Amino acid sequence: MAEVQVESLHHSIGLLGISAGSLLLAVHSYSFTRPAPLIPSTALGVLLFVLSAILAYAGVRKSLRNVYLFVTLCLTLSVLWCSYGVIHILAGQGVLNGLGDYRNAVVPGLVTFTLGLLIIAGVGFLHQEVIPAIIASAVSLACAHEIAALYNMAFGSSAVACNYLIVCFTATYFAVGRFLYFLSKEKIILPGTDLANSKANELVQDNNAGTNDLAITGLILNMLSASVFGCKLLGVTNNLFVGQVPWLWAAAIYQTGVCILSYRALDSLAATFFGFTSILKFAGGYSLLYRIWQADEPVFPVPLLVVFAVLFAVLAIFRALKSPLEGLYLLFYVAYCISLACCPKGFFEGGPQGVDVAIFVASALMTLIYLYNMKASTKFPTGEGTMKALLARNSILKLREGKDLHAPYLGYSKYADAEVLGYACSVLASFSITMTVDPKAPLATVVIPWVVAAGGIFKLLCGSLAFARGKTLESSAFILYGAMWIIWGLTRYSGLYGTSRGFQVAVGIIAFMLFNGFIVFSTLFLSISWFIYSLTFWLILISFLLDAVNAIPAGYDIAVTIIFGLVSFFCFLSALFNSTFEGSLFPVGRPIVKLSGVGGGSTRCLHLSARKASSVKKIAEILKNGGACGIPTDTVYVLVAACNRPDGVEKAYNARKANNMAWTNVPDHSSRCSTKRQAQDRPMSLWISNLKQLEPAKHLFNPILWDFMKAAWPSPISLVVSRGKWVDFLGMKDSSKYVGTPQSIAIRIPDCSVTTHLIDLVGPIAVTSANPTGEADTTHHNQVYAKLGDKVDAVLCDGPSPENIASTVVDCTKIESGNIGFFRVGVVPKSQVLQILEEVQKKHMVGYTNSAFTLEDQEEQQNHSHTVQSGRNAASPKERISALHTNNVFSTKK
């Protein structure tokens, strides 16, 4: 219920944002013809910009629920109001001169959103999605009326205001209806706002899991950029100037977001495509700024555009494997890049603008087809599965498929691999600087967007995604290279560098060379292709250095950039082929230097995603065969073994003991060093999945203790209980010497479905912490691999742990004599444990008092204490007394 409320809140926020923006635009439209509008242009622009951010938030949040039409509507309106708001800010600041400039600025965007929202409305009515359909149709009519009013004042602006008022009232009605539905606990239901039907529709849409519904927003953004240049060719606008930049750069920024979310949807090819088109939009917007620094239109680097066409062509071939229609659509961009290469003035000439018109029409058709197919039972044919059927007949090319298609190197990741885009950006950045640039007029050639956007911004993005997938070295290289491309691009090609050369620039480049030297050395242990890739980038840095000291030989810079570009292109093809087809059609090569040990031997620690039932079964099989594994819990990561396999328990015990010894060998002159060494022999704890596993031995437990366990579990509360004959009922056999002490055993039922399911499969497990004594708790599966990778058989990966500290440890060994104390207060606070004790007190008519253990009592307990080995070890006696001050003592009244 709580999750439903949160999702409905996001939906309501989106509707209220639409309502507020529509109200602003209605007021603005009514006062548009007045000498002094009610809302100043700058204020209106700022408010629309803020509301666009709210809509983007609502759209992204709902995109995780597969509510495709509402997501598309929110993000489309967000782009509209973001760009429209910036244009109004420019108008308010005097950048746009008169009605003519304002019309040339806003019309290209309004044309796009008139058609785009009309498509959304039509599909919404066909699919009976009434709310987004009404809103989209009204905004579409408002955009159309505004275009008509700008060209003929006889139309007036009242129709625009009326349409926005319809949107305002509709969105407000449904938003308030959702709020009332939950605030009244489903007692007040406004007509048409019954969420029972809405949730049923979402369940139907969840059957389309795996589809990338954000791709539809990306297609509308392609319409937007094509409209800016296409309207100039068709005579709708008079010129291309700075007032149209907000449309292009808003489309570029939002499409970058679509690229990231496409990686999250595990659609790497779509993400790469939207990354490419976003780079084109950044370049288009940058080129329209030329009048700020020069009178003549800029020129474009021909080699880059030819290479860009090749990249689009390769991507189109691979995209056609999924759907020939999508591959055909990408060919429009191949033609677009070729037309740009054939025209020295690029975006400003008729050839590319004609292709823009074709892209606008093709994008509109693709939007209609894919938006309709998202929910329709009878779909438009796209050829999906055709190429797959053809490839199934040959034995050479076999598509890589299955649930492990996007499995990362280290366990679970929410994102697909972005190396294809990373290598492609290296290709674009390197070939963009092959064209000679006049140092006196560096801005006359459009180089900055290719170097900064492609080589820098998107390289940083790819590095972040590589880190999320556990590729630490690759992510470090991408981030370093991205930072270098940004700094060098802005310095060398923005006019900051000029004709002078400086020692400071050379020192900075040398620092980057030193960092890259570490990367080159590290790639010796990765693969041959990565070694060559990083080594050739070193040649790029050398060319930068020689240029900085004005000592570069003629042609050296062009030669090394071409070499680096070709190496990057091979890596691009290799990543693309190897992620699409089984086998190594483009081999990346083995490590030049291979180490023994972690990652170097023939055996390697398995990394399995905790989100898959098959992974949990695999871990269970390993534990049944005497293995030791790292797993996630309701607190932090732990190291476990099956209690009925003494060899596995011994392995887990020795793994942590060896880890402690390695850690304590580090010089440590603190007074706690002896405590750390003594902790090496601390026993393991016992975990079960259900109290029914102890039912046969219930008569052996104190009734108060039994009810305390029943009330406390499952939870991050560990209970240290006296050892007894009940242990024999769990089949521990020879494992018992490692679990607990001769006097007591720490036992717990974790509040984690993955962990309890695993225990159901293998039986009770022996648990120890995955970190050395005294170190911080292990809160990520990568940390388990780093600390215990060569000592465990597998790691069940689930990303960051839900908590940063371990469980709360309660001592119940003296419960029969009336005492319960705290060894450590962890995730569960003291007050919550006391509340559980009070409930037990009421049932058994007993009371509890507050007192402090004596130092002797604490030292005695230290001899058989249990740090529930799901995290940090217990402190020394003095440390516990100073930390806890008092302990709660449970006394029975007879």
Side-chain angles (χ1 to χ4, degrees), residues 803-831:
E803 302 290 346
N804 293 324
I805 56 175
S807 60
T808 296
V809 185
V810 181
D811 179 23
C812 301
T813 56
K814 299 182 179 179
I815 194 171
E816 293 182 358
S817 59
N819 296 326
I820 288 182
F822 286 87
F823 276 126
R824 179 187 65 225
V825 178
V827 174
V828 180
K830 236 179 181 182
S831 58

XYZ file of all heavy atoms in Angstrom, residues 803-831:
214
model
N 21.799 -1.468 4.968
C 22.270 -0.784 6.171
C 23.784 -0.643 6.106
O 24.465 -1.340 5.353
C 21.880 -1.557 7.439
C 20.382 -1.792 7.592
C 19.609 -0.529 7.899
O 20.257 0.479 8.266
O 18.374 -0.532 7.763
N 24.314 0.273 6.906
C 25.760 0.475 6.977
C 26.372 -0.090 8.255
O 27.582 -0.037 8.424
C 26.084 1.975 6.881
C 25.756 2.537 5.521
O 25.933 1.864 4.516
N 25.278 3.772 5.488
N 25.536 -0.596 9.145
C 26.025 -1.204 10.381
C 25.335 -2.536 10.575
O 24.343 -2.853 9.922
C 25.787 -0.290 11.605
C 24.306 0.065 11.718
C 26.644 0.949 11.531
C 23.970 0.870 12.959
N 25.869 -3.321 11.483
C 25.389 -4.687 11.672
C 24.203 -4.724 12.641
O 23.631 -3.706 13.022
C 26.530 -5.557 12.175
N 23.864 -5.945 13.041
C 22.672 -6.151 13.857
C 22.905 -5.750 15.313
O 24.034 -5.592 15.768
C 22.257 -7.618 13.799
O 23.303 -8.432 14.302
N 21.796 -5.617 16.031
C 21.842 -5.378 17.477
C 21.968 -6.721 18.193
O 21.248 -7.674 17.880
C 20.570 -4.662 17.936
O 20.519 -3.375 17.319
C 20.541 -4.502 19.444
N 22.896 -6.795 19.127
C 23.187 -8.052 19.819
C 22.663 -7.983 21.255
O 23.046 -7.094 22.018
C 24.699 -8.343 19.828
C 24.980 -9.711 20.439
C 25.254 -8.276 18.414
N 21.770 -8.911 21.587
C 21.157 -8.959 22.916
C 21.595 -10.243 23.610
O 21.478 -11.334 23.051
C 19.614 -8.903 22.812
C 18.990 -8.930 24.197
C 19.174 -7.666 22.041
N 22.100 -10.124 24.828
C 22.573 -11.276 25.597
C 21.410 -11.875 26.384
O 20.823 -11.229 27.251
C 23.686 -10.837 26.541
C 24.194 -11.988 27.384
O 24.014 -13.147 26.963
O 24.762 -11.728 28.456
N 21.078 -13.117 26.061
C 19.990 -13.823 26.759
C 20.499 -15.026 27.551
O 19.709 -15.884 27.953
C 18.951 -14.298 25.743
S 18.206 -12.980 24.776
N 21.798 -15.113 27.760
C 22.350 -16.298 28.438
C 21.943 -16.373 29.899
O 21.958 -17.451 30.491
C 23.885 -16.274 28.338
O 24.378 -15.044 28.876
C 24.335 -16.424 26.895
N 21.596 -15.229 30.504
C 21.221 -15.228 31.917
C 19.732 -14.995 32.116
O 19.300 -14.535 33.175
C 22.007 -14.153 32.674
C 23.510 -14.365 32.647
C 24.226 -13.289 33.448
C 25.731 -13.510 33.435
N 26.444 -12.454 34.203
N 18.963 -15.312 31.086
C 17.533 -15.014 31.165
C 16.843 -15.832 32.254
O 15.890 -15.388 32.874
C 16.872 -15.243 29.788
C 15.485 -14.603 29.775
C 16.812 -16.712 29.433
C 14.841 -14.575 28.422
N 17.339 -17.037 32.517
C 16.706 -17.868 33.535
C 16.916 -17.290 34.923
O 16.098 -17.490 35.823
C 17.249 -19.292 33.464
C 16.856 -20.005 32.168
C 17.352 -21.436 32.139
O 18.018 -21.843 33.107
O 17.085 -22.133 31.146
N 18.015 -16.574 35.094
C 18.257 -15.936 36.393
C 17.733 -14.509 36.428
O 17.907 -13.821 37.428
C 19.763 -15.934 36.694
O 20.466 -15.235 35.686
N 17.126 -14.080 35.294
C 16.460 -12.786 35.301
C 17.186 -11.662 34.614
O 16.851 -10.503 34.847
N 18.171 -11.930 33.767
C 18.955 -10.845 33.163
C 18.952 -10.926 31.639
O 19.125 -12.004 31.066
C 20.406 -10.896 33.643
C 20.509 -10.659 35.137
O 19.717 -9.895 35.683
N 21.449 -11.320 35.777
N 18.777 -9.781 31.015
C 19.003 -9.629 29.573
C 19.781 -8.333 29.384
O 19.368 -7.299 29.891
C 17.686 -9.563 28.771
C 17.028 -10.949 28.726
C 17.928 -9.076 27.352
C 15.753 -10.984 27.923
N 20.909 -8.401 28.676
C 21.749 -7.217 28.475
C 22.072 -7.009 27.001
O 21.707 -7.815 26.151
N 22.774 -5.913 26.737
C 23.157 -5.568 25.359
C 24.661 -5.720 25.183
O 25.438 -5.188 25.972
C 22.766 -4.117 25.032
C 21.300 -3.913 24.811
C 20.462 -3.664 25.877
C 20.764 -3.983 23.547
C 19.106 -3.472 25.684
C 19.419 -3.787 23.336
C 18.576 -3.539 24.417
N 25.046 -6.446 24.162
C 26.455 -6.465 23.765
C 26.754 -5.318 22.805
O 27.829 -4.738 22.840
C 26.813 -7.784 23.063
C 27.142 -8.885 24.015
C 26.474 -10.094 23.947
C 28.105 -8.716 24.983
C 26.773 -11.118 24.810
C 28.420 -9.736 25.857
C 27.743 -10.947 25.779
N 25.813 -5.034 21.903
C 26.026 -3.972 20.935
C 24.659 -3.480 20.456
O 23.738 -4.272 20.258
C 26.814 -4.483 19.723
C 27.043 -3.428 18.654
C 27.675 -3.997 17.402
N 26.795 -4.935 16.743
C 27.181 -6.122 16.268
N 28.423 -6.499 16.421
N 26.321 -6.935 15.672
N 24.539 -2.174 20.252
C 23.341 -1.588 19.664
C 23.664 -1.274 18.204
O 24.514 -0.437 17.916
C 22.897 -0.308 20.399
C 21.674 0.294 19.717
C 22.595 -0.620 21.854
N 23.012 -1.989 17.304
C 23.281 -1.822 15.883
C 22.134 -1.177 15.151
O 21.699 -0.070 15.481
N 21.588 -1.902 14.140
C 20.513 -1.361 13.309
C 19.274 -1.062 14.137
O 18.654 -0.005 14.007
C 20.181 -2.349 12.164
C 18.978 -1.872 11.381
C 21.383 -2.515 11.257
N 18.896 -2.001 14.998
C 17.690 -1.833 15.812
C 18.040 -1.044 17.065
O 18.928 -1.435 17.827
C 17.084 -3.201 16.197
C 15.832 -3.017 17.032
C 16.787 -4.017 14.941
N 17.357 0.064 17.330
C 17.687 0.863 18.513
C 17.265 0.166 19.802
O 16.425 -0.728 19.806
C 16.889 2.154 18.284
C 15.758 1.756 17.398
C 16.300 0.671 16.518
N 17.826 0.639 20.895
C 17.535 0.072 22.197
C 16.050 0.157 22.523
O 15.460 -0.767 23.088
C 18.332 0.831 23.260
C 19.226 -0.034 24.120
C 19.963 0.853 25.094
C 20.878 -0.003 25.949
N 21.581 0.811 26.962
N 15.443 1.287 22.151
C 14.037 1.504 22.481
C 13.144 0.452 21.852
O 12.154 0.009 22.459
C 13.607 2.893 22.007
O 13.803 3.027 20.608
